[in-house]
Amino acid sequence: MTATQIPTSPIAGQKAGTSGLRRKTRDFMAPHFLENYVQSILTAIGGAQGKRLVLGGDGRFFNDRAIQIILRMAAANGATEVIVGQNGILSTPAASHMIRMQKADGGFILSASHNPGGEDEDFGLKFNMANGGPATEALTDKILAQTQSITSYGMIDAPDVDLSVCGPATVGDMTVTVVESVTDYAALMETLFDFDAIAGLFAGGFTMRFDAMHAVTGPYAHALLEDRLGAPKGTVINGTPLPDFGGGHPDPNPIWAHELMGIMTGDNPPDFGAASDGDGDRNMIVGRGAYVTPSDSLALIAAHAHRAPGYGQGLAGVARSMPTSAAVDRVAAAKGIDCYETPTGWKFFGSLLDAGKVSLCGEESAGTGSGHVREKDGLWAVLMWLNIIAATGKSVSELMADHWATYGRNYYSRHDYEAVETDKANGLMDALRGKLAGLPGQTIAGLTVTMADEFAYDDPVDGSHTSGQGIRIGFEGDARVVFRLSGTGTQGATLRVYLELLELDPAKMDLPAEEALAAVISAADQIAGIKERTGRETPDVKT
Ligand code: G16
């Protein structure tokens, strides 16, 4: 079996977004598309010669084929070993852990996250570095440059590896080590949380539903919640991963996780509900009639993390993405720890975690995690909540009510306008940029603008500078609106409008978010002319 160089030419648009390259599955299946991108990654990391890599994905359509192609290319490029999850499956946090535990040189994760899967839906590929975290901007820039100049890629002619059997195999001279996907991750969780206390909760009759949304966390959730922690069978629903996620969007929010929301708001609901996404890094937390926003979940975890054994020494610091609400900032201030504000994208937390500046991070986009891996981690967040509930003996709604009484409530909502024509979305953002200087001092929908800028970030550890990360407009009374275009969509542009208002009056802690935010919503539309520029009367999704 000899490696050959297959001639190719650059394919336009292979630019990573917020989290790797996401495209329609059929694009990835087109001649040379996947191969060009994989070769560009391998070249950008300085070649694969002698390297050990991790490989796995969320099991969506084309996962199995893409893995066999990547194995042949890694072998042709001289990699020593590729460690693959059984049947090609690894959740994103489990892959991050595997890279770190195996001291690998990096890894390929095949997923388009919460985007739907199938031949006519979405696929994605990202490269994580030796620290287990997503490629930095510096590396994705190098990969992009390679995609624009590629002339050939390495390939070996070899039979498929049987990925259903754990143990060693070979592709050419390269070792392929197939590993069980759940065990190591579950063992890591056991070092962080009080499993006895959580098991005691279930033994005492505490009830829960975890909606795996037919995505990758099903096997992990069955193993952890039902097998190890003793939750009754049936606690995990939609627990069998399917290549098309059962036709749904594996996106854990009240819109797409409507089955779980129906259970939690129906007759005789369980005590606790949670869901995770396609690749297992996002989470949704919901109590009886109490949906917890991701921003509030981050803040609550910051306030209570010391109750979990892995965090008993307290937090070094916290970080949140810029559009995430300032709820966690208030906890950090009270605890006297640093709070960092980064651009959207988990990759920006890596240097802070590596430097020990923070030990808890989170994003409004349903992501929470800590220094245990370098990705956000859906089941980690669920176990953290269970640990907090077990330690305090309080329900989700009691915990949130106490939290708001202590720190105030940052009312929050995100409005998404999906598949907007790219020109119109760019036009809206350009017009906003043009207005920024004149906004401070103006009163709009009864709110006086105090600041307006376009967010840029200087990484305090590696000194890298990142600009153009969203337009933020602050108002008197700690209200804010942020406008950003998503970097994970595959069709047109998605305009995200993030709305926030701090409420300190104890009598006003229980309003519906949209009602509390009415003035901010109105100001956002007046400033950006959303209806008029996009032709949309209402957002497609409110979370
Ligand atoms: C990815 C990133 C997150 C980011 C999210 C939304 O999540 O890892 O850091 O917050 O996309 O990004 P955008 O607003 O640009 O669509 P995931 O779960 O899709 O990998």
Side-chain angles (χ1 to χ4, degrees):
M1 280 181 270
T2 48
T4 49
Q5 286 295 317
I6 311 283
T8 189
S9 52
I11 296 170
Q14 290 198 322
K15 185 178 189 323
T18 309
S19 181
L21 186 64
R22 288 190 192 164
R23 285 287 179 282
K24 288 290 163 201
T25 310
R26 285 188 192 278
D27 289 345
F28 265 97
M29 293 166 68
H32 308 308
F33 189 97
L34 172 68
E35 293 84 346
N36 273 20
Y37 197 61
V38 170
Q39 185 63 56
S40 298
I41 292 171
L42 292 175
T43 308
I45 62 170
Q49 193 68 41
K51 291 199 167 130
R52 296 173 62 246
L53 300 165
V54 167
L55 174 59
D58 63 12
R60 68 179 60 223
F61 187 89
F62 193 52
N63 191 71
D64 50 353
R65 295 309 313 146
I67 283 194
Q68 299 290 348
I69 292 168
I70 295 171
L71 286 175
R72 289 189 191 108
M73 292 186 66
N77 279 273
T80 311
E81 181 187 10
V82 176
I83 301 151
V84 194
Q86 190 176 17
N87 296 314
I89 302 288
L90 278 177
S91 76
T92 287
S96 179
H97 177 51
M98 188 68 73
I99 294 169
R100 294 164 67 78
M101 190 185 75
Q102 294 278 353
K103 302 201 181 338
D105 295 290
F108 292 97
I109 302 176
L110 307 175
S111 174
S113 189
H114 54 288
N115 295 15
E119 196 164 6
D120 293 313
E121 298 294 351
D122 294 351
F123 194 79
L125 171 59
K126 67 175 175 173
F127 184 79
N128 279 31
M129 305 186 306
N131 72 346
T136 56
E137 297 263 288
L139 179 53
T140 55
D141 287 349
K142 276 191 197 164
I143 296 169
L144 177 63
Q146 289 300 326
T147 68
Q148 292 165 338
S149 60
I150 188 167
T151 55
S152 68
Y153 55 83
M155 185 63 80
I156 204 167
D157 186 18
D160 283 0
V161 178
D162 182 356
L163 297 176
S164 66
V165 183
C166 290
T170 53
V171 174
D173 294 333
M174 183 182 84
T175 302
V176 176
T177 307
V178 183
V179 294
E180 204 278 321
S181 310
V182 174
T183 310
D184 294 317
Y185 175 81
L188 174 66
M189 293 300 112
E190 210 154 348
T191 66
L192 302 174
F193 300 111
D194 187 343
F195 271 38
D196 289 343
I198 301 173
L201 201 59
F202 287 121
F206 181 85
T207 52
M208 168 180 182
R209 287 291 176 287
F210 177 85
D211 189 350
M213 305 189 86
H214 289 301
V216 78
T217 45
Y220 295 86
H222 280 302
L224 278 162
L225 299 173
E226 296 175 351
D227 300 346
R228 293 203 184 196
L229 292 166
K233 295 279 176 216
T235 295
V236 177
I237 57 172
N238 300 319
T240 304
L242 298 174
D244 67 348
F245 308 118
H249 280 233
D251 194 355
N253 62 44
I255 308 294
W256 293 115
H258 44 79
E259 183 179 342
L260 177 68
M261 290 306 285
I263 293 170
M264 295 308 296
T265 53
D267 292 340
N268 197 18
D271 296 303
F272 184 62
S276 191
D277 70 332
D279 60 333
D281 57 1
R282 296 185 174 207
N283 75 86
M284 179 175 86
I285 301 296
V286 52
R288 282 191 175 153
Y291 164 71
V292 182
T293 69
S295 294
D296 273 347
S297 176
L298 174 66
L300 185 114
I301 291 174
H304 292 273
H306 61 277
R307 301 183 192 281
Y311 305 87
Q313 70 287 13
L315 301 172
V318 294
R320 64 164 170 86
S321 66
M322 181 275 282
T324 304
S325 94
V328 73
D329 304 35
R330 302 180 66 74
V331 178
K335 287 190 179 286
I337 56 175
D338 288 335
C339 179
Y340 295 85
E341 185 178 37
T342 62
T344 295
W346 206 263
K347 58 193 166 195
F348 294 102
F349 295 137
S351 64
L352 298 171
L353 289 164
D354 286 348
K357 287 186 176 296
V358 302
S359 40
L360 174 72
C361 312
E363 296 186 283
E364 51 66 38
S365 56
T368 336
S370 83
H372 68 290
V373 290
R374 291 294 179 275
E375 287 280 3
K376 55 191 184 278
D377 190 342
L379 270 168
W380 173 91
V382 174
L383 292 168
M384 177 63 95
W385 267 88
L386 286 170
N387 199 144
I388 292 168
I389 291 169
T392 58
K394 292 186 175 164
S395 69
V396 172
S397 46
E398 286 167 344
L399 282 165
M400 286 319 306
D402 286 357
H403 188 89
W404 294 330
T406 308
Y407 298 100
R409 179 171 180 181
N410 290 73
Y411 278 103
Y412 191 83
S413 184
R414 187 179 94 185
H415 291 186
D416 291 341
Y417 298 81
E418 295 176 343
V420 176
E421 286 157 64
T422 309
D423 288 353
K424 287 186 179 170
N426 287 333
L428 181 146
M429 294 299 285
D430 286 343
L432 272 173
R433 269 181 210 106
K435 275 187 171 181
L436 288 178
L439 284 175
Q442 283 192 39
T443 298
I444 302 155
L447 297 169
T448 302
V449 178
T450 52
M451 61 80 68
D453 70 2
E454 184 161 27
F455 182 59
Y457 179 64
D458 290 297
D459 186 302
V461 180
D462 64 20
S464 58
H465 179 76
T466 311
S467 57
Q469 294 299 309
I471 286 170
R472 47 184 190 176
I473 297 164
F475 304 96
E476 266 172 17
D478 280 317
R480 184 180 78 152
V481 57
V482 172
F483 300 89
R484 226 190 113 248
L485 298 185
S486 159
T488 56
T490 58
Q491 217 185 336
T494 294
L495 171 67
R496 301 206 194 285
V497 184
Y498 310 82
L499 306 139
E500 178 178 356
L501 171 81
L502 174 65
E503 181 59 70
L504 295 173
D505 181 349
K508 294 183 182 167
M509 291 296 162
D510 284 319
L511 297 173
E514 297 293 312
E515 189 182 319
L517 290 164
V520 189
I521 293 167
S522 168
D525 190 47
Q526 287 183 43
I527 292 170
I530 302 172
K531 289 188 185 119
E532 159 201 330
R533 284 185 173 273
T534 64
R536 304 286 177 85
E537 282 301 313
T538 52
D540 297 288
V541 181
K542 292 180 186 176
T543 50

